[in-house]
Amino acid sequence: MESKTIDFERGWDHVYKGIKQLRRILEGLPEPLFTSGEYVMLYSTVYNMCARNPPHNYSQQLYDKYREVLEEYITSTLSPSLRGKRDEFLLRELVKIWVNHKVMVRWLSRFFNYLDRYFVDYRSLPALNEVGMTCFTDLVYREVQTNIKDAAIVLIGKEREGDRIDCSLLKNVLDIFVAVGMGSMERYEDDFEADMLRDTGAYYSRKASSWIEEDSCPEYMLKCEECLKKERDRVFHYLRSSSEVKLIEKVQHELLVTYIDRLLEKEHSGCRALLRDDKADDLSRMYRLYCKIPRGLDPVADIFKQHVTAEGTALVQAIGAASNAPGVQEHVLLRKIIELHCKYMAYVTDCFQNHNLFCNALKDAFKVFCNNTGTDSSSAELLATFCDDILKKGGSEKLSDEAIEETLENAVKLLAYINDRDLFAEFYRKKLARRLLFDRSANDDHERSVLSKLKQQCGEQFTSKMEGMVTDITLSRENHAAFEDYLRSNSAAHPGIDLTVTILTTGFWPSYKPCNLNLPTEMIKCVEVFKGFYETKTKHKKLTWIYSLGTCNLSGMFDQKTIELVVSTHQAAVLMLFNTSDRLSYSEIMDQLNSTHEDLVRLLHSLSCAKYKILSKQPDTKTISRSDYFEFNSKFTNKLRRIKIPLPPVDEKKKIVEDVDKDRRYAIDAAIVRVMKTRKVLGYQQLVSECVEQLSQTFKPDIKAIKKQIEDLITREFLERDEENPNTFKYLA
Amino acid sequence: MPPRASKRKSVPPNSSSVTSSDGRSVSNKAKTKGMEKVDRLFNTYANSSLGMIDPEGIEALCADLGVDYTDVRILMLAWKLKSEKQGYFTREEWQTGLKELGVDSLSKLKKALPELEKEVEKPSNYEGFYIYAFRYCLTEEKQKSVDIESICELLNLVLGVQFRPQVDSLVEYLKVQNDYKVINADQWINFLRFCKEISFPDLGNYDANQAWPLILDNFVEWMREKQS
């Protein structure tokens, strides 16, 4: 490399020759390509003209020449070829000259490279390729930008209508828009994308307005899905990925948002109709289309909720109106509700992807009609009866274990929709007690499984008492074994009758009326013997005997044959009176037994006026009166050797409801105190809503009941009303 | 206060008395004299063994004042005297009260009654008097509530003049309802608030979602049913 100063004219002459050669190559003339030697020469010439001290430093002149050359090239060669061309031809030509320009810039930049290294930075001037870009922009782009934008949009429009277009051409054109931005997307966005989006919007607006008239909802949705797919393909093939979000939003807006009401509310094919006709696919599509749109799913979830509510309410009313026997009716109702629940749960899971909005819609819908059975019994009671029917012997023997489990699982799920959960617990507990004590439970595993499902759903506190009851039964069995050992080792203490005692922990079990029945001596001996045994085990506990829950097996020595009678302890006590007297009046029995009139009437009725007449009554009427006389009916017989004489249970419904109401008052009281203890000062409405929140797991409290408890707490001086603001309460420590 | 230039014995700023030759201030003398009259009046009505005016005494006082025993002005007098026990005035209460009224004779007391009425009706005093009226009925120790009958009478007495239509309806309701046998202080104070704030008889601005006592919610429900 020669390292001497060059005269500008000479140097430039050399470089310009190279440039001319380059132009000829670009024109496609038969011109040999540059050898590396030639290239090095050109580079060096530039170097020598620049890497000098002034006045031999021609950097500025060369920099200016660079621009000149380019400008001249563009104006003389490139631009003219564009003039007069339109549409796709224009686009093609543009791409061609763009390619040429790029080559020119690249080679020129190589020749003049030395400028890029020092001069450009030193003077804070644009780099060579930037200059190249600017020239193109000013001399070519500005002139044609509107036309190429329009041409490109026209092409896109054609493609939308189904024509095949040259995607790579479009892609190249759009590359130019981006390149012209020189690092920013501004040119692409302002000069092309904005209008493209507007055009897209207009296009789909037109389409939508005609489709919405002609098409059914599913058809329309299919078209939407397709359009969206095609637009995404468009982005993939030639649009910039940065356009995707805006493009999709635009399309969604025109197709789905603008017409959402008309679409969903289409009479024969809209959302309601799809739900009615179980069109799962279409509903899934609806979900897919609207889930990306903010608040798009709200109206869909709303219609879903309304639909489920309507179905449920109609179901409840229909079954209420049907004149089946009560009991059957209610069983059917629950079964149908469970079916409905499974059906729409499937929708939520499959079509609506378990989305929160739909889970809540389902929940709200069920809450509306599950609490309104239209019968005398509350839904809490119905559900408890339903479970009892499945769990007791003879209830569901025809069903497989799995079917039973599934039904129980569904039943427990329904509990979430019932407001009076505490009422359900009470009814369930009462029925569980009967099943456990009268050995009517069909299957221990199922019992335990229900309790664990209830625990999962409603919390530990909900089932703690019931679990205690089941444990008591197990413990009692162990206890009984110990009792038998005791009797074996103390044969003198044996009462002469087989005795089984079940010990219940108070608090776990429902409360039972204590009774002061006079037992026959044989039974008294049994009680004494057991007491003796129990005292050897523990001195700290007190036994209270509940004879109303016991059963007794008696041998009835009738004339024809001896029949074993399975009766309740109370019934047995009545019958045993006739071992010592032939004939007894009502009042005599009353005196000897020390029962209540209510109980005695029931007992005597079951023994003398029901299916099995163990006692004969004078007069032989259908009801018990206080002037009746009773005798042992020795003539009684039956083909069976063992019969059970049922004693219809007292209707405990009223008492259960009363007990639950009382518990609720305590619960509300405790909740208010808890809230106020933490907050110290709180407004009335907030206090109410926090209490409701706290109690929501167990039941839905009546606002009036909360108000009443607040007043009670004011009287008891736990709270006071704020003097300044009568709607605010203060906690008195 | 700027110090006085004079060398006279300094006088307490608010007193209007002048020292007399024997050293005692005149106002003290006047006080003792006035007290004697008040005391004598007290003794006229007091039960000597109890040392205070008992119900009989109050009855006599009323007769002399020409006012009925059940008149609201006697209640106002009790309020003015800050009487603690219903039907009784202690010597202290009597002395302090009559001094506040600025009276020392029966005739002056009688003349002071209309002014007392005006004083009670002043908004700043009225609520205090209203609450006092309730507490005055709590005769037993630890008693917190007053029976419905007495409440009805009290409402008539205390609110009857200002809020006649409300009182009439409320009393009618209290007599027919079964939920409450007694009324507590909180409910009582809210009766007044009800009369003052709620437009009657349309009850348009009553909102049961606010912290009104339940008995008023029920009352409004009852009224609305009657009106429809």
Side-chain angles (χ1 to χ4, degrees), chain B residues 72-119:
Chain B
V72 68
R73 286 170 286 178
I74 295 303
L75 187 55
M76 290 180 180
L77 181 63
W79 170 77
K80 191 68 183 172
L81 262 50
K82 299 198 176 44
S83 161
E84 296 252 332
K85 196 162 163 161
Q86 192 186 64
Y88 293 87
F89 293 150
T90 68
R91 190 181 294 274
E92 280 241 9
E93 288 167 356
W94 180 264
Q95 284 177 349
T96 325
L98 261 66
K99 178 168 176 228
E100 285 269 339
L101 285 168
V103 305
D104 57 8
S105 74
L106 192 62
S107 54
K108 285 194 195 150
L109 182 56
K110 196 164 175 184
K111 287 209 189 87
L113 286 182
E115 269 178 52
L116 178 59
E117 269 186 86
K118 286 215 188 64
E119 188 187 340

Tab-separated table of all heavy atoms in Angstrom, chain B residues 72-119:
chain	number	residue	atom	x	y	z
B	72	VAL	N	-96.263	16.999	82.548
B	72	VAL	CA	-94.872	16.895	82.095
B	72	VAL	C	-93.981	17.927	82.784
B	72	VAL	O	-92.778	17.739	82.926
B	72	VAL	CB	-94.808	17.036	80.551
B	72	VAL	CG1	-95.167	18.454	80.116
B	72	VAL	CG2	-93.449	16.663	80.028
B	73	ARG	N	-94.568	18.984	83.311
B	73	ARG	CA	-93.742	20.017	83.928
B	73	ARG	C	-93.096	19.525	85.214
B	73	ARG	O	-92.029	19.999	85.598
B	73	ARG	CB	-94.574	21.278	84.189
B	73	ARG	CG	-94.855	22.044	82.900
B	73	ARG	CD	-95.853	23.148	83.075
B	73	ARG	NE	-97.201	22.640	83.224
B	73	ARG	CZ	-98.259	23.423	83.440
B	73	ARG	NH1	-98.117	24.727	83.527
B	73	ARG	NH2	-99.466	22.903	83.573
B	74	ILE	N	-93.740	18.554	85.875
B	74	ILE	CA	-93.114	17.982	87.062
B	74	ILE	C	-91.888	17.169	86.654
B	74	ILE	O	-90.855	17.196	87.337
B	74	ILE	CB	-94.126	17.102	87.819
B	74	ILE	CG1	-95.260	17.966	88.343
B	74	ILE	CG2	-93.445	16.344	88.947
B	74	ILE	CD1	-94.794	19.100	89.247
B	75	LEU	N	-92.022	16.475	85.540
B	75	LEU	CA	-90.887	15.735	85.011
B	75	LEU	C	-89.753	16.694	84.673
B	75	LEU	O	-88.576	16.425	84.942
B	75	LEU	CB	-91.325	14.953	83.774
B	75	LEU	CG	-90.308	13.977	83.164
B	75	LEU	CD1	-89.815	12.981	84.196
B	75	LEU	CD2	-90.930	13.230	81.992
B	76	MET	N	-90.131	17.824	84.105
B	76	MET	CA	-89.119	18.827	83.765
B	76	MET	C	-88.448	19.344	85.030
B	76	MET	O	-87.239	19.578	85.055
B	76	MET	CB	-89.760	19.990	83.002
B	76	MET	CG	-90.206	19.621	81.601
B	76	MET	SD	-90.944	21.048	80.785
B	76	MET	CE	-91.363	20.356	79.214
B	77	LEU	N	-89.270	19.519	86.073
B	77	LEU	CA	-88.694	19.982	87.328
B	77	LEU	C	-87.698	18.952	87.856
B	77	LEU	O	-86.599	19.304	88.290
B	77	LEU	CB	-89.823	20.225	88.347
B	77	LEU	CG	-89.374	20.736	89.716
B	77	LEU	CD1	-88.714	22.108	89.576
B	77	LEU	CD2	-90.559	20.825	90.669
B	78	ALA	N	-88.086	17.700	87.779
B	78	ALA	CA	-87.182	16.637	88.229
B	78	ALA	C	-85.871	16.684	87.449
B	78	ALA	O	-84.781	16.517	87.999
B	78	ALA	CB	-87.857	15.279	88.044
B	79	TRP	N	-86.017	16.949	86.144
B	79	TRP	CA	-84.826	17.031	85.304
B	79	TRP	C	-83.945	18.178	85.740
B	79	TRP	O	-82.728	18.064	85.858
B	79	TRP	CB	-85.260	17.206	83.846
B	79	TRP	CG	-84.151	17.537	82.887
B	79	TRP	CD1	-83.229	16.690	82.386
B	79	TRP	CD2	-83.855	18.821	82.335
B	79	TRP	NE1	-82.373	17.333	81.532
B	79	TRP	CE2	-82.744	18.667	81.490
B	79	TRP	CE3	-84.419	20.088	82.463
B	79	TRP	CZ2	-82.195	19.717	80.770
B	79	TRP	CZ3	-83.858	21.135	81.741
B	79	TRP	CH2	-82.750	20.951	80.916
B	80	LYS	N	-84.609	19.308	86.021
B	80	LYS	CA	-83.860	20.488	86.422
B	80	LYS	C	-83.145	20.225	87.736
B	80	LYS	O	-82.015	20.672	87.949
B	80	LYS	CB	-84.813	21.677	86.577
B	80	LYS	CG	-84.114	22.988	86.743
B	80	LYS	CD	-83.384	23.393	85.470
B	80	LYS	CE	-82.624	24.689	85.705
B	80	LYS	NZ	-81.765	25.047	84.597
B	81	LEU	N	-83.827	19.491	88.616
B	81	LEU	CA	-83.256	19.188	89.919
B	81	LEU	C	-82.227	18.059	89.821
B	81	LEU	O	-81.552	17.757	90.797
B	81	LEU	CB	-84.368	18.763	90.896
B	81	LEU	CG	-84.911	19.829	91.858
B	81	LEU	CD1	-85.299	21.106	91.151
B	81	LEU	CD2	-86.084	19.283	92.650
B	82	LYS	N	-82.135	17.430	88.640
B	82	LYS	CA	-81.270	16.276	88.447
B	82	LYS	C	-81.626	15.181	89.443
B	82	LYS	O	-80.763	14.511	90.004
B	82	LYS	CB	-79.795	16.668	88.598
B	82	LYS	CG	-79.326	17.699	87.591
B	82	LYS	CD	-77.812	17.687	87.511
B	82	LYS	CE	-77.213	18.603	86.468
B	82	LYS	NZ	-77.711	19.938	86.325
B	83	SER	N	-82.909	15.016	89.664
B	83	SER	CA	-83.367	14.036	90.635
B	83	SER	C	-83.004	12.618	90.192
B	83	SER	O	-83.232	12.241	89.048
B	83	SER	CB	-84.881	14.165	90.790
B	83	SER	OG	-85.419	13.011	91.352
B	84	GLU	N	-82.437	11.856	91.137
B	84	GLU	CA	-81.981	10.517	90.772
B	84	GLU	C	-83.092	9.492	90.909
B	84	GLU	O	-83.189	8.574	90.122
B	84	GLU	CB	-80.840	10.121	91.709
B	84	GLU	CG	-79.625	11.007	91.568
B	84	GLU	CD	-78.495	10.284	90.884
B	84	GLU	OE1	-78.432	9.053	90.995
B	84	GLU	OE2	-77.675	10.952	90.220
B	85	LYS	N	-83.885	9.607	91.937
B	85	LYS	CA	-84.865	8.564	92.225
B	85	LYS	C	-86.257	9.084	91.937
B	85	LYS	O	-86.652	10.151	92.451
B	85	LYS	CB	-84.745	8.191	93.702
B	85	LYS	CG	-85.424	6.889	94.022
B	85	LYS	CD	-84.916	6.330	95.358
B	85	LYS	CE	-85.916	5.309	95.757
B	85	LYS	NZ	-86.069	4.381	96.443
B	86	GLN	N	-87.002	8.298	91.156
B	86	GLN	CA	-88.338	8.741	90.763
B	86	GLN	C	-89.239	8.871	91.986
B	86	GLN	O	-89.345	7.931	92.776
B	86	GLN	CB	-88.939	7.743	89.776
B	86	GLN	CG	-90.193	8.281	89.105
B	86	GLN	CD	-90.883	7.244	88.236
B	86	GLN	OE1	-91.354	6.235	88.749
B	86	GLN	NE2	-90.934	7.505	86.947
B	87	GLY	N	-89.861	10.054	92.129
B	87	GLY	CA	-90.801	10.239	93.220
B	87	GLY	C	-90.174	10.839	94.476
B	87	GLY	O	-90.850	11.062	95.472
B	88	TYR	N	-88.875	11.105	94.426
B	88	TYR	CA	-88.181	11.634	95.613
B	88	TYR	C	-87.280	12.787	95.218
B	88	TYR	O	-86.623	12.756	94.190
B	88	TYR	CB	-87.309	10.542	96.261
B	88	TYR	CG	-88.110	9.402	96.867
B	88	TYR	CD1	-88.494	8.323	96.075
B	88	TYR	CD2	-88.487	9.415	98.211
B	88	TYR	CE1	-89.238	7.291	96.606
B	88	TYR	CE2	-89.224	8.371	98.756
B	88	TYR	CZ	-89.594	7.310	97.951
B	88	TYR	OH	-90.319	6.281	98.475
B	89	PHE	N	-87.251	13.823	96.075
B	89	PHE	CA	-86.280	14.900	95.922
B	89	PHE	C	-85.443	14.980	97.191
B	89	PHE	O	-85.984	15.083	98.285
B	89	PHE	CB	-86.972	16.260	95.729
B	89	PHE	CG	-87.731	16.387	94.417
B	89	PHE	CD1	-88.853	17.200	94.344
B	89	PHE	CD2	-87.329	15.727	93.278
B	89	PHE	CE1	-89.547	17.340	93.147
B	89	PHE	CE2	-88.020	15.852	92.090
B	89	PHE	CZ	-89.141	16.669	92.020
B	90	THR	N	-84.126	14.891	97.029
B	90	THR	CA	-83.286	15.057	98.215
B	90	THR	C	-83.072	16.541	98.480
B	90	THR	O	-83.352	17.384	97.614
B	90	THR	CB	-81.907	14.406	98.025
B	90	THR	OG1	-81.204	15.164	97.022
B	90	THR	CG2	-82.010	12.959	97.580
B	91	ARG	N	-82.557	16.816	99.675
B	91	ARG	CA	-82.343	18.222	100.049
B	91	ARG	C	-81.358	18.874	99.082
B	91	ARG	O	-81.563	19.975	98.619
B	91	ARG	CB	-81.816	18.305	101.480
B	91	ARG	CG	-81.775	19.710	102.048
B	91	ARG	CD	-81.232	19.740	103.466
B	91	ARG	NE	-82.112	19.057	104.391
B	91	ARG	CZ	-83.160	19.634	105.002
B	91	ARG	NH1	-83.447	20.908	104.798
B	91	ARG	NH2	-83.939	18.939	105.823
B	92	GLU	N	-80.291	18.145	98.793
B	92	GLU	CA	-79.264	18.682	97.879
B	92	GLU	C	-79.862	19.021	96.533
B	92	GLU	O	-79.631	20.093	95.981
B	92	GLU	CB	-78.188	17.618	97.663
B	92	GLU	CG	-77.183	17.526	98.768
B	92	GLU	CD	-75.771	17.812	98.263
B	92	GLU	OE1	-75.622	18.240	97.089
B	92	GLU	OE2	-74.848	17.620	99.028
B	93	GLU	N	-80.606	18.033	96.006
B	93	GLU	CA	-81.206	18.230	94.682
B	93	GLU	C	-82.096	19.474	94.707
B	93	GLU	O	-82.069	20.322	93.807
B	93	GLU	CB	-82.033	16.997	94.293
B	93	GLU	CG	-81.194	15.775	93.943
B	93	GLU	CD	-82.007	14.486	93.863
B	93	GLU	OE1	-83.224	14.526	94.162
B	93	GLU	OE2	-81.428	13.435	93.522
B	94	TRP	N	-82.866	19.579	95.780
B	94	TRP	CA	-83.814	20.680	95.910
B	94	TRP	C	-83.078	22.012	95.935
B	94	TRP	O	-83.412	22.947	95.204
B	94	TRP	CB	-84.613	20.473	97.187
B	94	TRP	CG	-85.629	21.527	97.472
B	94	TRP	CD1	-85.472	22.624	98.275
B	94	TRP	CD2	-86.957	21.591	96.966
B	94	TRP	NE1	-86.605	23.372	98.308
B	94	TRP	CE2	-87.569	22.741	97.494
B	94	TRP	CE3	-87.721	20.781	96.122
B	94	TRP	CZ2	-88.876	23.101	97.199
B	94	TRP	CZ3	-89.023	21.151	95.840
B	94	TRP	CH2	-89.584	22.306	96.377
B	95	GLN	N	-82.034	22.042	96.798
B	95	GLN	CA	-81.297	23.292	96.962
B	95	GLN	C	-80.642	23.715	95.656
B	95	GLN	O	-80.780	24.853	95.205
B	95	GLN	CB	-80.217	23.128	98.039
B	95	GLN	CG	-80.767	23.142	99.450
B	95	GLN	CD	-79.672	22.898	100.466
B	95	GLN	OE1	-78.546	22.519	100.117
B	95	GLN	NE2	-79.996	23.108	101.729
B	96	THR	N	-79.899	22.784	95.066
B	96	THR	CA	-79.178	23.107	93.827
B	96	THR	C	-80.154	23.511	92.729
B	96	THR	O	-79.952	24.506	92.028
B	96	THR	CB	-78.357	21.901	93.354
B	96	THR	OG1	-77.863	21.201	94.485
B	96	THR	CG2	-77.215	22.319	92.477
B	97	GLY	N	-81.231	22.735	92.623
B	97	GLY	CA	-82.171	22.974	91.548
B	97	GLY	C	-82.851	24.322	91.655
B	97	GLY	O	-82.934	25.075	90.674
B	98	LEU	N	-83.367	24.610	92.874
B	98	LEU	CA	-84.082	25.869	93.029
B	98	LEU	C	-83.154	27.049	92.844
B	98	LEU	O	-83.548	28.117	92.356
B	98	LEU	CB	-84.777	25.913	94.395
B	98	LEU	CG	-86.270	25.542	94.302
B	98	LEU	CD1	-86.452	24.099	93.889
B	98	LEU	CD2	-86.993	25.827	95.599
B	99	LYS	N	-81.893	26.830	93.249
B	99	LYS	CA	-80.930	27.918	93.045
B	99	LYS	C	-80.728	28.167	91.568
B	99	LYS	O	-80.713	29.315	91.118
B	99	LYS	CB	-79.612	27.533	93.709
B	99	LYS	CG	-78.534	28.575	93.506
B	99	LYS	CD	-77.340	28.317	94.405
B	99	LYS	CE	-76.278	29.344	94.065
B	99	LYS	NZ	-74.983	28.784	93.884
B	100	GLU	N	-80.608	27.102	90.794
B	100	GLU	CA	-80.475	27.224	89.335
B	100	GLU	C	-81.657	27.982	88.743
B	100	GLU	O	-81.512	28.804	87.846
B	100	GLU	CB	-80.421	25.829	88.702
B	100	GLU	CG	-79.124	25.094	88.877
B	100	GLU	CD	-78.156	25.349	87.738
B	100	GLU	OE1	-78.621	25.758	86.648
B	100	GLU	OE2	-76.949	25.156	87.929
B	101	LEU	N	-82.835	27.659	89.282
B	101	LEU	CA	-84.032	28.328	88.775
B	101	LEU	C	-84.102	29.766	89.251
B	101	LEU	O	-84.854	30.583	88.695
B	101	LEU	CB	-85.289	27.571	89.242
B	101	LEU	CG	-85.588	26.250	88.523
B	101	LEU	CD1	-86.667	25.481	89.268
B	101	LEU	CD2	-86.047	26.524	87.101
B	102	GLY	N	-83.365	30.048	90.301
B	102	GLY	CA	-83.389	31.405	90.862
B	102	GLY	C	-84.674	31.678	91.621
B	102	GLY	O	-85.196	32.791	91.620
B	103	VAL	N	-85.197	30.618	92.255
B	103	VAL	CA	-86.444	30.849	93.021
B	103	VAL	C	-86.244	30.406	94.453
B	103	VAL	O	-85.404	29.549	94.740
B	103	VAL	CB	-87.633	30.078	92.398
B	103	VAL	CG1	-87.794	30.430	90.938
B	103	VAL	CG2	-87.475	28.584	92.579
B	104	ASP	N	-87.009	31.007	95.341
B	104	ASP	CA	-86.927	30.575	96.738
B	104	ASP	C	-88.290	30.546	97.409
B	104	ASP	O	-88.398	30.469	98.619
B	104	ASP	CB	-85.965	31.482	97.527
B	104	ASP	CG	-86.393	32.932	97.448
B	104	ASP	OD1	-87.506	33.220	96.924
B	104	ASP	OD2	-85.625	33.796	97.912
B	105	SER	N	-89.331	30.666	96.618
B	105	SER	CA	-90.667	30.582	97.198
B	105	SER	C	-91.582	29.865	96.248
B	105	SER	O	-91.240	29.651	95.078
B	105	SER	CB	-91.206	31.989	97.474
B	105	SER	OG	-91.564	32.576	96.227
B	106	LEU	N	-92.724	29.457	96.765
B	106	LEU	CA	-93.671	28.689	95.970
B	106	LEU	C	-94.173	29.506	94.792
B	106	LEU	O	-94.253	29.010	93.659
B	106	LEU	CB	-94.849	28.263	96.864
B	106	LEU	CG	-95.779	27.214	96.230
B	106	LEU	CD1	-95.003	25.929	95.957
B	106	LEU	CD2	-96.940	26.929	97.165
B	107	SER	N	-94.462	30.768	95.057
B	107	SER	CA	-95.030	31.577	93.967
B	107	SER	C	-94.001	31.796	92.874
B	107	SER	O	-94.303	31.752	91.678
B	107	SER	CB	-95.535	32.918	94.517
B	107	SER	OG	-94.482	33.559	95.222
B	108	LYS	N	-92.753	31.995	93.318
B	108	LYS	CA	-91.706	32.193	92.299
B	108	LYS	C	-91.523	30.914	91.487
B	108	LYS	O	-91.331	30.959	90.268
B	108	LYS	CB	-90.389	32.570	92.966
B	108	LYS	CG	-90.345	33.987	93.475
B	108	LYS	CD	-88.922	34.411	93.818
B	108	LYS	CE	-88.974	35.675	94.655
B	108	LYS	NZ	-87.842	35.776	95.571
B	109	LEU	N	-91.615	29.776	92.189
B	109	LEU	CA	-91.466	28.496	91.504
B	109	LEU	C	-92.553	28.353	90.453
B	109	LEU	O	-92.308	27.963	89.315
B	109	LEU	CB	-91.537	27.353	92.533
B	109	LEU	CG	-91.343	25.931	91.976
B	109	LEU	CD1	-90.023	25.815	91.212
B	109	LEU	CD2	-91.381	24.912	93.100
B	110	LYS	N	-93.775	28.703	90.859
B	110	LYS	CA	-94.888	28.600	89.922
B	110	LYS	C	-94.648	29.451	88.692
B	110	LYS	O	-94.886	29.008	87.566
B	110	LYS	CB	-96.161	29.063	90.647
B	110	LYS	CG	-97.435	28.663	89.936
B	110	LYS	CD	-98.622	28.801	90.886
B	110	LYS	CE	-99.918	28.524	90.129
B	110	LYS	NZ	-101.094	28.739	90.979
B	111	LYS	N	-94.159	30.664	88.908
B	111	LYS	CA	-93.917	31.567	87.781
B	111	LYS	C	-92.794	31.050	86.895
B	111	LYS	O	-92.755	31.338	85.708
B	111	LYS	CB	-93.550	32.966	88.310
B	111	LYS	CG	-94.697	33.733	88.886
B	111	LYS	CD	-94.484	35.255	88.712
B	111	LYS	CE	-95.545	36.009	89.499
B	111	LYS	NZ	-95.128	36.240	90.909
B	112	ALA	N	-91.870	30.314	87.522
B	112	ALA	CA	-90.701	29.849	86.746
B	112	ALA	C	-91.026	28.685	85.815
B	112	ALA	O	-90.249	28.369	84.909
B	112	ALA	CB	-89.588	29.432	87.702
B	113	LEU	N	-92.193	28.078	86.026
B	113	LEU	CA	-92.484	26.869	85.230
B	113	LEU	C	-92.519	27.114	83.714
B	113	LEU	O	-91.920	26.357	82.956
B	113	LEU	CB	-93.799	26.233	85.711
B	113	LEU	CG	-93.716	25.481	87.063
B	113	LEU	CD1	-95.047	24.854	87.418
B	113	LEU	CD2	-92.640	24.408	87.018
B	114	PRO	N	-93.204	28.151	83.245
B	114	PRO	CA	-93.215	28.355	81.786
B	114	PRO	C	-91.811	28.539	81.207
B	114	PRO	O	-91.507	28.059	80.119
B	114	PRO	CB	-94.062	29.620	81.598
B	114	PRO	CG	-94.861	29.727	82.846
B	114	PRO	CD	-94.048	29.120	83.942
B	115	GLU	N	-90.977	29.268	81.981
B	115	GLU	CA	-89.602	29.447	81.490
B	115	GLU	C	-88.860	28.126	81.449
B	115	GLU	O	-88.060	27.876	80.550
B	115	GLU	CB	-88.849	30.399	82.424
B	115	GLU	CG	-88.958	31.842	82.013
B	115	GLU	CD	-88.244	32.743	83.007
B	115	GLU	OE1	-87.064	32.452	83.276
B	115	GLU	OE2	-88.890	33.676	83.510
B	116	LEU	N	-89.136	27.301	82.448
B	116	LEU	CA	-88.517	25.982	82.490
B	116	LEU	C	-88.897	25.191	81.237
B	116	LEU	O	-88.071	24.544	80.611
B	116	LEU	CB	-88.959	25.241	83.761
B	116	LEU	CG	-88.414	23.813	83.930
B	116	LEU	CD1	-86.890	23.821	83.948
B	116	LEU	CD2	-88.936	23.188	85.207
B	117	GLU	N	-90.168	25.290	80.871
B	117	GLU	CA	-90.628	24.600	79.662
B	117	GLU	C	-89.824	25.041	78.463
B	117	GLU	O	-89.360	24.231	77.672
B	117	GLU	CB	-92.105	24.917	79.416
B	117	GLU	CG	-93.058	23.940	80.065
B	117	GLU	CD	-94.498	24.220	79.663
B	117	GLU	OE1	-94.908	23.706	78.605
B	117	GLU	OE2	-95.192	24.956	80.386
B	118	LYS	N	-89.665	26.370	78.339
B	118	LYS	CA	-88.922	26.888	77.181
B	118	LYS	C	-87.490	26.380	77.195
B	118	LYS	O	-86.906	26.053	76.165
B	118	LYS	CB	-88.932	28.415	77.209
B	118	LYS	CG	-90.245	29.030	76.825
B	118	LYS	CD	-90.028	30.344	76.061
B	118	LYS	CE	-91.355	31.064	75.858
B	118	LYS	NZ	-91.989	31.492	77.137
B	119	GLU	N	-86.946	26.339	78.420
B	119	GLU	CA	-85.551	25.905	78.520
B	119	GLU	C	-85.398	24.459	78.043
B	119	GLU	O	-84.464	24.124	77.323
B	119	GLU	CB	-85.073	26.029	79.967
B	119	GLU	CG	-83.573	25.768	80.095
B	119	GLU	CD	-83.105	25.722	81.541
B	119	GLU	OE1	-83.843	26.259	82.403
B	119	GLU	OE2	-82.040	25.147	81.786
